[in-house]
Amino acid sequence: MSTTTSPGKGSPPPPAKSRAKVAVGRLDLGHVSLVAVLAILTLVGGLTKPSEFLSTDNLQLILTQASVIGVVTVGVTFVIIGGGIDLSVGAIVALCSVWATTVATQEYGLLGILGCAVLVGVGCGLINGMLIAYGPMVPFIATLAMLASARGLAEQMSDGKTQIVTVNSVLDLGLPDAYVLGVPPLVMIFAAVSIIGWLVLNRTTFGRRTVAIGGNPEASRLAGIAVKRQRLMLYLLSGLCCGIAAFMLIVLTGSGQNSNGNLYELDAIAAAIIGGTLLSGGRGTITGSVLGVLVFTTITNLFALNNLESAVQQIAKGAIIVAAVLIQKGRKTP
C-alpha cells in the first residue's frame, strides 16, 4: 500500500527562495508597469520643466484634474468587469451638472446641488440598466442612445449657456483654504470613492458576482446569481459615480455646462483598459484603473507644460492603449 504525505503541522516551511517567488508572483505586473510609466513621466517632467512640473501647485493640479474623470472611471470599471460598456457617462455628467446648477436647484444650497446631481446620475443609470438587463438591449446601443438623449436634454435645459454657481459653500470647496494638509477636497473624494470601490470589488459578494457574470453569465445564472439584477446594479453604480463627478466638476469650474464631460467615456474606458480591465469582462482592478487615470492626466499636463500639440498628445495616448491591449493579449496566450 502506498501512502501520500500531506503537509501538516510538522512539515518543514518552504525555502526562502520559494517564498520570494510567491511574493513576486502576487505582484500585478500590469500595476508595476504603470507605476514605472508614471516614474518615467515624472522624470521627463523633472528634466524638461523642473520648476513648473515638480511644483506643489502643479502636482495639486494633476491630482485635481485626475479626480473628476477618476471617479467616473471607477464606475465604468465595474460595468466593464461585469461584461458591459457605458458610452453615456460623459453626457450624464453634463446633464447632472446642468440640472444641479439651475436657479431653482441652487436655492437649496450645497446639499441641494449635490443631491440633485446624484439623483439625476442614478436616474440615468436606472434607465440604462433597465434597458440592458430587462429590455433586453445591447449595452452599446442603449448607452449610445442615453449619450445622445442626455447631451440633448442638457443643451435644452441650459439653452446652450453656462450656468454660474452662486452658492458660496460650493465655491469655497475649490479654494486653497479648503485644502486639508495641502490636499484638495476633490482629491480626497476621489481617494474615498477609489477605496470604497476597491473594497466592494474585492471584499464583498457584490464584487465577486460582478466578476462572475462578466466571465460567464450563463454559468453565473445556473449558480443562482440574479444576473439581470446584478447588471442593473452595475449601471446604477456607474450613474452614481457620474453624479458625484458632476458635483466635483461644478466645484472645480463654478458652473454647469452642457459641454461638460466631453469625451469622458473614451478617457474612462481607456484608463480602465490600460489598468488591466478586459473589455470582454471578468477581470479588472480598481487600482489599475486609478493608475491609468494618473498616467493619462500626467501626460496631458506634461504636454501642456512643454507646449506640445494636442494631436501629439492624442497619438501618445493611442499608442499606450494599443500597447496595453497587446500586453493583455500576450498574457492570455499560453
Side-chain angles (χ1 to χ4, degrees):
M1 179 182 297
S2 61
T3 59
T4 58
T5 304
S6 58
K9 295 182 179 179
S11 302
K17 188 175 182 180
S18 298
R19 293 198 301 269
K21 288 183 177 180
V22 171
V24 172
R26 289 177 179 174
L27 292 175
D28 191 307
L29 295 181
H31 295 172
V32 174
S33 300
L34 289 174
V35 171
V37 170
L38 276 174
I40 293 173
L41 291 174
T42 302
L43 178 62
V44 172
L47 293 175
T48 57
K49 295 286 183 178
S51 59
E52 295 94 335
F53 182 80
L54 296 177
S55 67
T56 301
D57 290 341
N58 188 60
L59 294 178
Q60 289 174 337
L61 176 63
I62 292 175
L63 291 175
T64 301
Q65 290 177 337
S67 297
V68 179
I69 185 61
V71 171
V72 175
T73 302
V74 170
V76 168
T77 301
F78 272 93
V79 170
I80 297 177
I81 293 174
I85 197 75
D86 194 345
L87 302 178
S88 63
V89 290
I92 293 176
V93 168
L95 179 59
C96 291
S97 70
V98 168
W99 206 320
T101 53
T102 61
V103 175
T105 305
Q106 291 193 48
E107 292 180 355
Y108 294 95
L110 185 150
L111 292 180
I113 293 175
L114 174 60
C116 180
V118 169
L119 287 175
V120 173
V122 172
C124 292
L126 176 63
I127 295 173
N128 278 338
M130 292 297 292
L131 290 175
I132 294 167
Y134 297 98
M137 188 177 288
V138 177
F140 181 89
I141 300 301
T143 57
L144 187 62
M146 176 58 73
L147 182 156
S149 302
R151 188 70 71 178
L153 182 56
E155 184 174 0
Q156 185 180 45
M157 290 186 65
S158 65
D159 196 23
K161 300 176 182 178
T162 299
Q163 298 179 166
I164 304 300
V165 176
T166 58
V167 180
N168 291 330
S169 57
V170 173
L171 299 175
D172 290 345
L173 291 176
L175 299 177
D177 291 342
Y179 293 6
V180 179
L181 299 178
V183 181
L186 299 188
V187 177
M188 291 188 286
I189 294 174
F190 176 36
V193 170
S194 300
I195 292 171
I196 293 172
W198 186 91
L199 291 173
V200 170
L201 183 61
N202 296 281
R203 295 291 184 268
T204 68
T205 302
F206 181 88
R208 291 190 290 271
R209 288 175 177 172
T210 298
V211 175
I213 69 169
N216 193 325
E218 182 59 23
S220 300
R221 186 186 66 81
L222 294 175
I225 297 176
V227 176
K228 292 182 178 180
R229 184 177 63 186
Q230 186 71 17
R231 283 177 176 160
L232 172 61
M233 296 297 291
L234 290 174
Y235 284 96
L236 285 173
L237 177 59
S238 180
L240 172 63
C241 288
C242 288
I244 296 173
F247 176 76
M248 297 168 67
L249 199 57
I250 291 170
V251 172
L252 186 62
T253 63
S255 64
Q257 305 176 53
N258 65 283
S259 60
N260 280 342
N262 189 34
L263 297 181
Y264 271 21
E265 56 278 352
L266 299 183
D267 288 342
I269 293 172
I273 290 173
I274 72 168
T277 301
L278 291 181
L279 269 177
S280 56
R283 193 182 78 191
T285 66
I286 299 299
T287 303
S289 295
V290 170
L291 290 173
V293 169
L294 291 175
V295 166
F296 277 156
T297 307
T298 305
I299 289 175
T300 301
N301 180 268
L302 191 58
F303 277 48
L305 288 177
N306 286 276
N307 297 318
L308 297 176
E309 296 181 2
S310 59
V312 179
Q313 172 187 324
Q314 298 302 324
I315 292 172
K317 286 185 176 181
I320 292 174
I321 295 171
V322 171
V325 173
L326 291 177
I327 291 173
Q328 286 185 3
K329 292 290 185 181
R331 291 170 65 181
K332 290 178 66 178
T333 303

